[in-house]
Amino acid sequence: LLLAGCAAKPPTPTGAEPLLLSALDPGQSQSTVTGCLAGEKDRSIVRRTADYQDDDLEVRTVAGGALVIHHLTHPCCLQANVRFTTRGSVATVHERLGGEPCRCVCRSTIETAIGLGVGMWTVKVEVEQPFEAARLAGERRVKVLEAKTEPAR
């Protein structure tokens, strides 16, 4: 899934959580992005060192999976490519930020709805940026209590 970079027009947010509840099977994912990675550079730029923030990761369990919300600070002018894999009881969201970085720093949020089966899961988020090795942004243990809800017919 390729998401727009700073120079592109921001995508229309679709809301990942409702999509998860109605459409995602285990092993599937859907991502949305806001901030600099969505072309909102003017509102997302970090103007002072005091405004710089480390990654913030939140994982919310929902029927049939989880919603992974990752707030991150990164070089401007990049694009995000998000992929999702599972191995055993570990679910990994890999966010690859690519392109030619600009000389500024900005903030973005990547939300990824992930379809998971019922049970205990370790959800990890890995980030890869230009000129850097992939790093672990964080991980959370979650318990999915129920399968996805089927849409009413």
Side-chain angles (χ1 to χ4, degrees):
L1 174 64
L2 182 63
L3 303 172
C6 289
K9 181 179 176 186
T12 304
T14 58
E17 194 167 359
L19 177 65
L20 175 69
L21 293 172
S22 64
L24 293 180
D25 289 321
Q28 293 182 321
S29 68
Q30 176 69 44
S31 297
T32 58
V33 65
T34 56
C36 185
L37 290 169
E40 302 165 7
K41 182 177 171 183
D42 291 341
R43 292 188 305 239
S44 305
I45 199 162
V46 176
R47 300 197 186 281
R48 301 174 301 155
T49 304
D51 294 333
Y52 184 91
Q53 297 175 12
D54 288 331
D55 289 15
D56 180 36
L57 180 65
E58 179 182 354
V59 180
R60 298 180 193 161
T61 56
V62 293
L67 179 63
V68 179
I69 303 168
H70 182 206
H71 304 281
L72 65 157
T73 303
H74 58 86
C76 298
C77 305
L78 299 179
Q79 296 176 333
N81 184 320
V82 180
R83 58 186 168 91
F84 166 64
T85 59
T86 59
R87 174 177 254 155
S89 62
V90 178
T92 304
V93 176
H94 185 84
E95 302 167 346
R96 184 178 182 278
L97 307 184
E100 189 65 35
C102 297
R103 297 180 128 200
C104 56
V105 175
C106 58
R107 300 273 301 157
S108 294
T109 300
I110 300 174
E111 294 186 11
T112 304
I114 56 175
L116 300 170
V118 173
M120 289 297 299
W121 289 88
T122 298
V123 177
K124 295 182 176 187
V125 175
E126 295 177 344
V127 178
E128 184 179 347
Q129 295 186 31
F131 315 112
E132 292 182 14
R135 66 177 171 81
L136 181 66
E139 67 179 68
R140 304 286 187 273
R141 291 281 293 162
V142 298
K143 186 172 188 175
V144 177
L145 297 174
E146 58 185 302
K148 76 174 189 173
T149 56
E150 296 295 328
R153 297 180 190 236

